[in-house]
Amino acid sequence: MKEVILVGRPNVGKSSLFNRLAKQRIAITSDVSGTTRDTNKTQIQIDDKSCVLIDSGGIDDSNELFINVKNNTLNAAKCADIIIFMVDGKMLPDDADKKLFYSLLKLNKPIALVINKVDSKKDEERSWEFNEFGASVVFNISVSHASGVDELCEWIYKQLPQANLKFDTDDFDEFLEDFNEQGELDLDNKAIDYENKNIKVGIVGRVNVGKSSLLNALVNDNRSVVSSIAGTTIDPVNESFVYNDRVFEFVDTAGIRKRGKIEGIEKYALNRTQKILEIADIALLVLDASEPFTELDERIAGLVGKFELGVIIVLNKWDKDHDGFDKVAFEIRDRFKFLAYAPIISVSALGGKRIHKLYPLIQEIYQNYTQRIKTSELNALIEEAVRTHPIPRDHGKIVKIFYAAQFGFAPPKIALVMNKPRSLHFSYKRYLLNKLRERFNLNGTPVVLIPKNKGKSETDI
């Protein structure tokens, strides 16, 4: 455990700071110079990290006793890991303080110059005189008024090693019980048999991108009417297909036009399309490789994201050489950043090219979409991620994840039980999602991460 030592001349407030950081009166304090003569140690806690705090005797050369105290203090400083050098802000700096500070700098340890007793504007102005020390880390504090101490603690915290995260199993079990009582936990929900239910696959895209041709190719039948007239399909068309003993229910949805161009009964077709997506598991987002992508393609893709579906991006009418696939895929990734998890496959529905690759891909994504991640593996990953890249603080206050729990399927839904859910920045959430995708097979499926307050029924996000 790291040791933090308070060093300075007599009567600069070392023992007072020691007591405040220890949150109890341990060291004897008085106005009498040299009250502390021996080193005093105690273990303190700064947020989730611990260290040993050492109160040393004041350094003074006035007599033989104080010389012995000085030698004892300097020896302790050599053994310590972090040095807090304290001076009296009511006084001007002197050569003895500077000489002592420079000697401690030579130890090549983290060191902070702490100017105590800064209680007024006049004291703040005087504190500028201590710039001549050339210290890179300086704090103005007033132990008696508790000002500046939090900033000092934050600096000490950064010098300490990352805390060893340990999830409390008892608390975790209690959380699961509470979550279940709130009706949010779906892990043991037998109402939906994900392993045996039919896999519902919605085929979506703008008009005339070849959705009906794709359906016909998938089920090996001319089930949907195909023509070059945009908007031929109005009603959703259902067709089942068995693959590896699993039933795939394909639905060819009506082509979606820009809102201003929705005519007649196509207005109702749009509503029916959205309803199909509400009950679908997987969406085949069909794009036309023979034409430039449009803003409407992006809007339709947004519907897939809105309904949190598993998704495959199907690049139809692909009659080109595969040399250009990487370029087109790059453009798709750039346009549909919110579907970065979706695989891209090129096909030719009319020619039947690469259609066979869709079946195993749909089955794989459905398994990912409905999978249950082991609680122990999930928490081990979160622990490792936080240790590698600690959560940024919120105004100096630590933000901590107590544990994680998957509470739902289709798609995987994971609660992060925290002390400050609102303080989890979206960029850190994205970092955790990336770590999850690196560790587990989540190809083609969204993952829902919900920061949640410990012991509260409502989510605090």
Side-chain angles (χ1 to χ4, degrees), residues 143-211:
V143 176
S144 59
H145 295 97
S147 64
V149 177
D150 286 345
E151 288 77 7
L152 173 61
C153 286
E154 185 173 352
W155 178 80
I156 296 173
Y157 181 92
K158 291 178 180 178
Q159 314 311 312
L160 301 176
Q162 179 63 41
N164 185 22
L165 297 178
K166 291 296 180 185
F167 295 116
D168 190 321
T169 306
D170 293 336
D171 281 352
F172 180 70
D173 291 340
E174 182 180 343
F175 160 76
L176 290 179
E177 291 176 5
D178 290 344
F179 222 26
N180 221 355
E181 288 175 2
Q182 295 156 21
E184 299 175 34
L185 190 64
D186 190 36
L187 293 181
D188 298 315
N189 185 0
K190 302 302 182 183
I192 301 177
D193 184 359
Y194 289 110
E195 293 186 3
N196 297 302
K197 72 178 286 290
N198 293 355
I199 302 174
K200 295 183 181 295
V201 183
I203 304 175
V204 297
R206 58 185 171 89
V207 294
N208 213 28
V209 294
K211 298 186 302 300

Side-chain angles (χ1 to χ4, degrees), residues 7 31 42 55 61 64 68 72 74 105 112 129 178 181 216-217 224 247 261 345 369 391 398 414 416 433 437:
V7 179
D31 294 330
T42 189
D55 180 22
D61 295 322
E64 184 179 352
N68 289 334
N72 189 30
L74 292 178
L105 276 177
E129 299 289 340
D178 290 344
E181 288 175 2
N216 291 339
S224 288
V247 178
K261 294 186 178 180
I345 183 170
Y369 185 66
I391 306 172
I398 190 170
I414 298 170
L416 300 174
L433 283 170
R437 292 190 182 281

Side-chain angles (χ1 to χ4, degrees), residues 160-363:
L160 301 176
Q162 179 63 41
N164 185 22
L165 297 178
K166 291 296 180 185
F167 295 116
D168 190 321
T169 306
D170 293 336
D171 281 352
F172 180 70
D173 291 340
E174 182 180 343
F175 160 76
L176 290 179
E177 291 176 5
D178 290 344
F179 222 26
N180 221 355
E181 288 175 2
Q182 295 156 21
E184 299 175 34
L185 190 64
D186 190 36
L187 293 181
D188 298 315
N189 185 0
K190 302 302 182 183
I192 301 177
D193 184 359
Y194 289 110
E195 293 186 3
N196 297 302
K197 72 178 286 290
N198 293 355
I199 302 174
K200 295 183 181 295
V201 183
I203 304 175
V204 297
R206 58 185 171 89
V207 294
N208 213 28
V209 294
K211 298 186 302 300
S212 298
S213 298
L214 180 61
L215 173 64
N216 291 339
L218 284 166
V219 300
N220 296 316
D221 186 20
N222 290 327
R223 178 64 177 83
S224 288
V225 178
V226 179
S227 86
S228 60
I229 301 173
T232 300
T233 303
I234 297 297
D235 293 314
V237 179
N238 294 67
E239 185 68 21
S240 296
F241 186 85
V242 178
Y243 174 80
N244 279 354
D245 298 325
R246 291 302 301 269
V247 178
F248 293 3
E249 284 187 20
F250 292 106
V251 182
D252 176 16
T253 59
I256 302 174
R257 294 182 176 183
K258 291 183 180 179
R259 187 172 298 276
K261 294 186 178 180
I262 296 176
E263 301 168 357
I265 60 176
E266 287 190 52
K267 170 182 176 182
Y268 303 101
L270 175 59
N271 292 332
R272 296 176 87 173
T273 297
Q274 291 178 322
K275 288 180 179 179
I276 290 296
L277 291 178
E278 286 178 358
I279 62 172
D281 302 304
I282 309 292
L284 301 184
L285 174 61
V286 185
L287 302 175
D288 188 340
S290 66
E291 299 179 357
F293 303 130
T294 68
E295 181 183 351
L296 185 55
D297 288 319
E298 296 178 35
R299 292 184 182 181
I300 296 168
L303 281 176
V304 177
K306 173 184 175 183
F307 291 110
E308 298 177 344
L309 303 176
V311 59
I312 300 170
I313 298 175
V314 180
L315 197 55
N316 191 29
K317 305 183 184 180
W318 186 267
D319 300 312
K320 310 173 187 177
D321 294 332
H322 271 273
D323 293 341
F325 178 79
D326 290 342
K327 180 180 178 181
V328 178
F330 179 83
E331 182 183 353
I332 291 173
R333 293 295 182 211
D334 186 58
R335 278 183 171 269
F336 310 125
K337 292 184 176 68
F338 50 91
L339 294 180
Y341 53 86
I344 303 172
I345 183 170
S346 62
V347 304
S348 174
L350 285 177
K353 295 179 180 178
R354 291 175 295 281
I355 297 297
H356 66 282
K357 292 186 177 182
L358 281 170
Y359 306 118
L361 191 55
I362 290 170
Q363 193 162 33

Side-chain angles (χ1 to χ4, degrees), residues 348-412:
S348 174
L350 285 177
K353 295 179 180 178
R354 291 175 295 281
I355 297 297
H356 66 282
K357 292 186 177 182
L358 281 170
Y359 306 118
L361 191 55
I362 290 170
Q363 193 162 33
E364 176 198 345
I365 290 175
Y366 180 77
Q367 289 172 350
N368 300 340
Y369 185 66
T370 59
Q371 74 173 294
R372 177 175 184 172
I373 301 173
K374 289 183 179 179
T375 300
S376 58
E377 294 180 5
L378 177 61
N379 282 289
L381 173 69
I382 297 298
E383 178 182 342
E384 179 185 325
V386 173
R387 184 185 296 112
T388 303
H389 181 48
I391 306 172
R393 289 186 160 214
D394 180 13
H395 298 90
K397 302 297 183 183
I398 190 170
V399 180
K400 185 175 182 180
I401 298 175
F402 295 112
Y403 35 73
Q406 184 178 356
F407 66 92
F409 299 113

